[in-house]
Amino acid sequence: MNNKKIWVAGHRGMVGSAIVRRLQQDDCDILTVSRQDCDLTDNAAVAEWVGDNKPDMVVLAAAKVGGILANDTYPVDFLYENLAIQNNVIRNSYDHGVEKLLFLGSSCIYPKLADQPITEDALLTGPLEPTNEWYAIAKIAGIKLCQAYMKQYGARFVSAMPTNLYGPHDNFNLETSHVIPALMRKAHRAKKAGENGMEIWGTGTPLREFLHVDDLADAAVYVLNNYEDMEHINIGSGTDLSISDVAKLVMEVVGLEGDLRHDLDKPDGTPRKLMSASKLRAIGWTPSIELRDGLMQTYEWFLEHVEN
Ligand code: GFB
């Protein structure tokens, strides 16, 4: 990667900004472009920008993302925008001679009732979780497009599937966010208001696997340097816990006492999606940030950057 020009597409998001921070430790030239200067859903704009800037490598972290309710409420945005962004970035990367590309997807690509822990070969073996099938279909198409470029043209375009992520620069909007930032904000508000306990969506029984975004960024750079297979690779922590347990942990970190109340009108989503970490371990990468430590660091970031 030394002296290479690496374009991080989506550098303002939680994932893209973490990848930029990680790449700053290496001897490479990081390229970024704002949405104003290059709308990634516009093929002509992407073609022009990639042609002018000629990256050697690309990390495709740009995507329309959100939590369970946003996915369920805005299916067009999640399907159409993601297809457009990834089609434009992948195609123009190939057309302009990018030597390696890493496409980032999501663990929701797997069947709703896949055997656990989920190995990479479970892809397309069963029906998807309905709340996020739109996003999942787009991400599956992205994996397939990278594979197609590899098969037809020998392009070194690989894909990695991160588990549920959290960390600095997350979206803390209660309607559109993922579970951890939502719980953090709710716990913080309840504490400030002197309330006891807080409300969470659904039954609290679904199991989720979480990874701090700095671990994800480290793994992504590792995969960029060390992985060449056509099959995608999972990036996770290897352990999961129930939503109720993560809510209690967030309450501890924030310093809120009391019990959980359940809004049963809200969806639970997939009952469990623990990914197998075997393939990633086999190439030599392991995570280093414990969930409690990562939550404490994220809460500090929230206090400084969102709350104030
Ligand atoms: O993180 P999350 O929105 O997404 O929700 P998914 C995870 C679980 O937390 C669900 C519960 O069972 C929610 O019902 N939950 C409890 C809450 N309280 C809350 C809350 O206040 N806010 C939110 N957001 N959830 C997403 C997919 O699925 O995961 C995406 O929709 C993507 O496509 C992403 O794959 C990683 O884990 O269910």
Side-chain angles (χ1 to χ4, degrees):
M1 225 153 67
N2 277 359
N3 301 318
K4 297 278 183 194
K5 282 201 277 183
I6 306 181
W7 177 28
V8 181
H11 72 287
R12 293 185 67 93
M14 174 173 71
V15 170
S17 59
I19 289 172
V20 168
R21 287 196 300 278
R22 170 60 190 80
L23 286 174
Q24 281 165 347
Q25 298 167 20
D26 288 342
D27 196 10
C28 61
D29 185 5
I30 303 166
L31 303 182
T32 59
V33 61
S34 69
R35 189 174 301 192
Q36 235 174 328
D37 291 333
C38 180
D39 175 357
L40 300 181
T41 64
D42 176 350
N43 185 54
V46 179
E48 188 181 338
W49 191 83
V50 177
D52 287 348
N53 291 278
K54 298 207 170 22
D56 301 306
M57 295 183 172
V58 174
V59 180
L60 178 38
K64 167 80 182 167
V65 298
I68 190 166
L69 194 63
N71 270 263
D72 205 24
T73 312
Y74 307 108
V76 174
D77 301 357
F78 279 82
L79 182 55
Y80 190 90
E81 278 186 40
N82 284 310
L83 285 172
I85 291 168
Q86 68 205 34
N87 285 346
N88 296 339
V89 173
I90 294 169
R91 173 190 169 177
N92 287 297
S93 293
Y94 178 73
D95 288 351
H96 293 281
V98 166
E99 62 192 59
K100 183 119 189 217
L101 177 144
L102 174 63
F103 171 67
L104 294 172
S106 160
S107 59
C108 69
I109 57 160
Y110 292 115
K112 177 184 173 109
L113 300 176
D115 287 345
Q116 313 279 323
I118 312 173
T119 48
E120 285 82 357
D121 61 6
L123 185 66
L124 295 173
T125 57
L128 298 164
E129 154 61 30
T131 52
N132 57 36
E133 64 181 329
W134 323 97
Y135 182 69
I137 291 280
K139 290 296 184 182
I140 293 169
I143 296 172
K144 288 293 163 192
L145 190 58
C146 289
Q147 290 177 347
Y149 270 103
M150 190 178 277
K151 183 175 155 75
Q152 190 172 337
Y153 298 118
R156 294 161 64 215
F157 289 5
V158 298
S159 302
M161 298 303 115
T163 187
N164 286 42
L165 304 169
Y166 70 98
H169 298 278
D170 208 342
N171 165 23
F172 285 82
N173 178 305
L174 290 183
E175 292 301 313
T176 58
S177 74
H178 289 101
V179 61
I180 285 185
L183 296 178
M184 207 166 260
R185 180 161 231 168
K186 285 179 184 176
H188 180 76
R189 278 190 183 172
K191 185 176 114 176
K192 264 181 49 182
E195 291 166 8
N196 208 27
M198 65 175 183
E199 186 177 81
I200 66 168
W201 292 355
T203 61
T205 57
L207 296 160
R208 290 291 182 273
E209 175 189 11
F210 295 101
L211 187 71
H212 190 281
V213 72
D214 288 342
D215 265 341
L216 177 271
D218 193 59
V221 172
Y222 193 86
V223 167
L224 192 63
N225 281 319
N226 297 287
Y227 190 74
E228 297 284 338
D229 288 3
M230 190 180 269
E231 188 180 55
H232 60 281
I233 183 167
N234 293 338
I235 301 181
S237 60
T239 53
D240 61 359
L241 74 171
S242 74
I243 293 300
S244 290
D245 283 345
V246 77
K248 288 177 198 152
L249 193 55
V250 168
M251 284 170 65
E252 261 179 63
V253 165
V254 171
L256 174 69
E257 305 269 315
D259 295 323
L260 298 174
R261 298 181 298 278
H262 296 270
D263 176 355
L264 298 177
D265 290 335
K266 293 289 195 305
D268 267 346
T270 306
R272 190 179 189 199
K273 48 176 173 178
L274 176 63
M275 295 196 300
S276 165
S278 313
K279 207 170 165 181
L280 190 60
R281 300 277 153 92
I283 65 165
W285 188 88
T286 46
S288 63
I289 305 173
E290 291 293 329
L291 182 57
R292 180 185 292 271
D293 297 339
L295 290 174
M296 281 166 43
Q297 182 250 24
T298 304
Y299 185 48
E300 276 167 28
W301 188 90
F302 166 81
L303 290 176
E304 194 178 335
H305 295 91
V306 182
E307 196 53 18
N308 297 331

